[in-house]
Amino acid sequence: MSDAKNDVIDEEEGGEAPWEGHPIYKNALNIMRSVGDVIDFDVNVFARLSKPRRVLYVSVPVRMDDGSIKTFDGYRVHHNTTLGPGKGGVRYHPGVSLGETAGLALLMTLKNSLVRLPLGGAKGGIKVDPNTLSRREKQALTRRYTSEVAMFIGPDKDIPAPDIGTDPQAMAWMMDTYSMHAGYAVPGVVTGKPIEIGGSLGRLDATGRGVVYCIIEAAKRLGLELGPETDVAVQGFGNVGYHSAKIIANIGCRVVAVTDVSGGVYNKNGLDVDKLRDWVAENQVLKGCPQGDYISNEELLFLPVDILIPAALGNQITVGNADKVRCKILAEGANGPTTLEANKILDEKGVFTIPDILANSGGVIVSYFEWVQGMQNFFWSEKDVNNKLWEIISNAFNRVFECHQSRNVGMRTSAFTVSIEHLSRAMLWRGFFP
Ligand code: GLU
């Protein structure tokens, strides 16, 4: 196919790169390493994928409402662009760092390859707690960040999208800022936009919908009937947590526990997801909601439920608590919620894991649809969007499940294997430059 195999890239000696020590990055690398036990993983491809392609740091000055100027740290990382332009969200969170952003960009590369999108992997973020900003400050932050990364993004280069702490409004400001520089509307520069400026129907609930589509596929394989006796717990009540809870309740399952940063509620007879949303709209957080008893974020992970959906931050299920997890299906709405060591424990306990790069891929799949619709100026019905999402995600699920069975490996290793096999072939066809 190519002579890349003979051109072994030397690992560079010396200091640790800033991303190498981050748990999300390290974890993703370790899972990639484990793929080497399953397939003949080309040493050069591994070396290339173990580092991001390019990283950009930007300082983002913002005039605050009190007249002072605060400067925030921002990043955009292109992990790999073999399959197409970089694609991945922008996160606003106090825990954002270059290491986390690079780790999440690596996961995007593998997610996009797994579901066979013609897209590479990228991620961005700003170290900030968006809840402490006024609307004006958030707009100023978003516009200046966009301006600072403008030379790095574009419909053919890298297409940002929402992630934790960002929403359609932030995407609208990004699109507008980029378009102001260009002098004309450029809808293809970001996805997750409001419908009126080129967003796609079905994008807002796409990640949660994809989580539920994967659960339906998993339940079929496990012979588990999804009905009023099927208990579900959801950690996180942002875009992914809320829509996962809402859609799984709509198909007839019983959502018994939901938490957000403040903790949350547990009721063995089931919760009304819309009423939880109304409570949060009024009270900002779930804590104190009278629908059930208080439960902490960690306690939720240990409930004896059929389905557990971690849909918040990474590193929640670790070697320190994995043995207490008691669900039948773990559907990872979040990116990187389970460490590799914890995953081994879960596999041994017989928990069926739908790994992040498969379970939460619905978001980027519909982002891809949005990008395509924007480039063609031809928009689809919500039914078409959801049908196409189902087709892509269930095919990906089949590929992962087939590899899991035929090669006798855990679902996570299987997902990484399927993804890397596709991406490796692409990288080897393209060969080595110069
Ligand atoms: N932030 C989402 C993810 O982690 C969506 C990315 C996108 O739509 O580009 O997959």
mmCIF file of all heavy atoms in Angstrom, residues 81 91 94 112 213 278 282 353:
data_model
loop_
_atom_site.group_PDB
_atom_site.id
_atom_site.type_symbol
_atom_site.label_atom_id
_atom_site.label_comp_id
_atom_site.label_asym_id
_atom_site.label_seq_id
_atom_site.Cartn_x
_atom_site.Cartn_y
_atom_site.Cartn_z
ATOM 1 N N THR A 81 -5.748 15.267 10.532
ATOM 2 C CA THR A 81 -6.617 15.754 9.450
ATOM 3 C C THR A 81 -6.511 14.857 8.211
ATOM 4 O O THR A 81 -6.736 15.307 7.094
ATOM 5 C CB THR A 81 -6.278 17.221 9.090
ATOM 6 O OG1 THR A 81 -4.879 17.297 8.807
ATOM 7 C CG2 THR A 81 -6.622 18.184 10.198
ATOM 8 N N ARG A 91 -14.947 23.922 24.375
ATOM 9 C CA ARG A 91 -15.379 23.762 25.766
ATOM 10 C C ARG A 91 -15.054 25.002 26.585
ATOM 11 O O ARG A 91 -13.933 25.501 26.507
ATOM 12 C CB ARG A 91 -14.666 22.525 26.341
ATOM 13 C CG ARG A 91 -15.021 22.223 27.770
ATOM 14 C CD ARG A 91 -14.435 20.893 28.226
ATOM 15 N NE ARG A 91 -15.091 19.751 27.601
ATOM 16 C CZ ARG A 91 -15.005 18.500 28.053
ATOM 17 N NH1 ARG A 91 -14.269 18.231 29.124
ATOM 18 N NH2 ARG A 91 -15.638 17.513 27.444
ATOM 19 N N PRO A 94 -13.635 25.665 33.803
ATOM 20 C CA PRO A 94 -12.422 26.008 34.555
ATOM 21 C C PRO A 94 -11.334 24.940 34.444
ATOM 22 O O PRO A 94 -10.149 25.221 34.657
ATOM 23 C CB PRO A 94 -12.896 26.113 36.012
ATOM 24 C CG PRO A 94 -14.385 26.140 35.975
ATOM 25 C CD PRO A 94 -14.838 25.614 34.660
ATOM 26 N N ASN A 112 -14.579 10.221 14.806
ATOM 27 C CA ASN A 112 -14.960 10.520 13.425
ATOM 28 C C ASN A 112 -14.572 9.390 12.478
ATOM 29 O O ASN A 112 -15.301 9.074 11.529
ATOM 30 C CB ASN A 112 -14.340 11.853 12.982
ATOM 31 C CG ASN A 112 -14.913 13.018 13.776
ATOM 32 O OD1 ASN A 112 -16.003 12.918 14.331
ATOM 33 N ND2 ASN A 112 -14.176 14.126 13.857
ATOM 34 N N TYR A 213 -30.021 5.497 20.740
ATOM 35 C CA TYR A 213 -29.978 4.548 19.615
ATOM 36 C C TYR A 213 -28.974 3.420 19.921
ATOM 37 O O TYR A 213 -29.229 2.256 19.631
ATOM 38 C CB TYR A 213 -29.582 5.263 18.317
ATOM 39 C CG TYR A 213 -30.678 6.119 17.679
ATOM 40 C CD1 TYR A 213 -30.418 6.896 16.556
ATOM 41 C CD2 TYR A 213 -31.977 6.151 18.192
ATOM 42 C CE1 TYR A 213 -31.409 7.677 15.952
ATOM 43 C CE2 TYR A 213 -32.970 6.936 17.603
ATOM 44 C CZ TYR A 213 -32.682 7.700 16.493
ATOM 45 O OH TYR A 213 -33.658 8.473 15.900
ATOM 46 N N ASP A 278 -37.731 22.133 34.348
ATOM 47 C CA ASP A 278 -38.399 23.354 34.837
ATOM 48 C C ASP A 278 -37.788 23.793 36.166
ATOM 49 O O ASP A 278 -37.580 24.980 36.411
ATOM 50 C CB ASP A 278 -39.906 23.096 35.061
ATOM 51 C CG ASP A 278 -40.622 22.820 33.748
ATOM 52 O OD1 ASP A 278 -40.037 23.103 32.692
ATOM 53 O OD2 ASP A 278 -41.756 22.299 33.806
ATOM 54 N N GLU A 282 -35.680 27.390 37.066
ATOM 55 C CA GLU A 282 -36.003 28.327 38.150
ATOM 56 C C GLU A 282 -34.923 28.426 39.213
ATOM 57 O O GLU A 282 -34.675 29.475 39.784
ATOM 58 C CB GLU A 282 -37.285 27.867 38.849
ATOM 59 C CG GLU A 282 -38.516 28.639 38.385
ATOM 60 C CD GLU A 282 -39.757 28.130 39.078
ATOM 61 O OE1 GLU A 282 -39.748 28.009 40.326
ATOM 62 O OE2 GLU A 282 -40.726 27.834 38.359
ATOM 63 N N THR A 353 -20.233 -2.184 28.078
ATOM 64 C CA THR A 353 -19.911 -0.764 27.877
ATOM 65 C C THR A 353 -20.113 -0.342 26.424
ATOM 66 O O THR A 353 -19.630 -1.012 25.510
ATOM 67 C CB THR A 353 -18.437 -0.505 28.272
ATOM 68 O OG1 THR A 353 -18.279 -0.842 29.646
ATOM 69 C CG2 THR A 353 -18.049 0.944 28.075
#
